[in-house]
Amino acid sequence: MGSVNPSKEAFRAMVDSDRQLGPIHMINLIRYRERADYPEDHPYAALNLSGAEAYRRYGEEAAPAFGAVGGVQVWAGRPDLVLTGPAEERWDAAFIAQYPNVQAFLDMLRRPDYQQAVINRNAAVEDSRLIRSLPLAPGKGFNPA
């Protein structure tokens, strides 16, 4: 069973974070299901969408909520080859979303339009990683400033 949504403990740590000021980067690693897994009564259930198609719908439907809280995508890529780490931990998509602060991220999650969109994400994703990061200025070589 993959990781799709944060545990209650991880979410509580985010909510209780003393880091309410300043931007945050959310590193996303996504592995899609072969076929999307919608609840039977959902209108998209009969469409037999791939996980990638369902995730595209999530992105389209979540975009207004993401933009309304000041979210921007600062990097996106398609993982190609694991050089370090478990080879079986493959990812179909990777991206970094930036939010003005933790509160903006939490505000997005609470929006009714986002809550409707996230049904697509849950149907689409087999496994994922969501890692909150603090942006740093790039330094020389591989060292952050």
Side-chain angles (χ1 to χ4, degrees):
M1 186 90 175
S3 299
V4 177
N5 293 300
S7 68
K8 288 182 182 180
E9 295 79 17
F11 190 76
R12 175 58 45 205
M14 179 78 144
V15 170
D16 292 345
S17 171
D18 61 356
R19 177 149 171 71
Q20 295 297 318
L21 300 175
I24 60 168
H25 283 174
M26 299 297 275
I27 301 170
N28 290 257
L29 300 173
I30 308 295
R31 181 181 321 136
Y32 304 129
R33 297 176 194 269
E34 186 174 331
R35 305 296 334 146
D37 185 19
Y38 285 97
E40 287 183 26
D41 61 342
H42 193 276
Y44 296 161
L47 299 179
N48 195 30
L49 299 174
S50 70
E53 291 167 328
Y55 201 85
R56 270 192 293 281
R57 286 179 186 244
Y58 162 65
E60 292 165 2
E61 294 178 19
F66 181 60
V69 300
V72 294
Q73 192 176 72
V74 297
W75 178 86
R78 183 174 36 99
D80 181 50
L81 175 68
V82 175
L83 297 175
T84 304
E88 67 276 2
E89 199 169 275
R90 65 166 179 79
W91 304 106
D92 296 311
F95 63 91
I96 299 173
Q98 178 177 289
Y99 297 86
N101 50 48
V102 170
Q103 190 59 52
F105 177 76
L106 297 173
D107 289 347
M108 180 187 71
L109 298 181
R110 292 183 180 115
R111 289 175 55 110
D113 55 344
Y114 181 81
Q115 291 173 8
Q116 284 298 311
V118 83
I119 293 168
N120 295 295
R121 182 186 186 283
N122 290 340
V125 174
E126 178 182 321
D127 198 5
S128 68
R129 302 291 181 270
L130 182 60
I131 304 164
R132 186 181 81 185
S133 302
L134 310 179
L136 300 173
K140 294 183 180 185
F142 295 112
N143 299 311

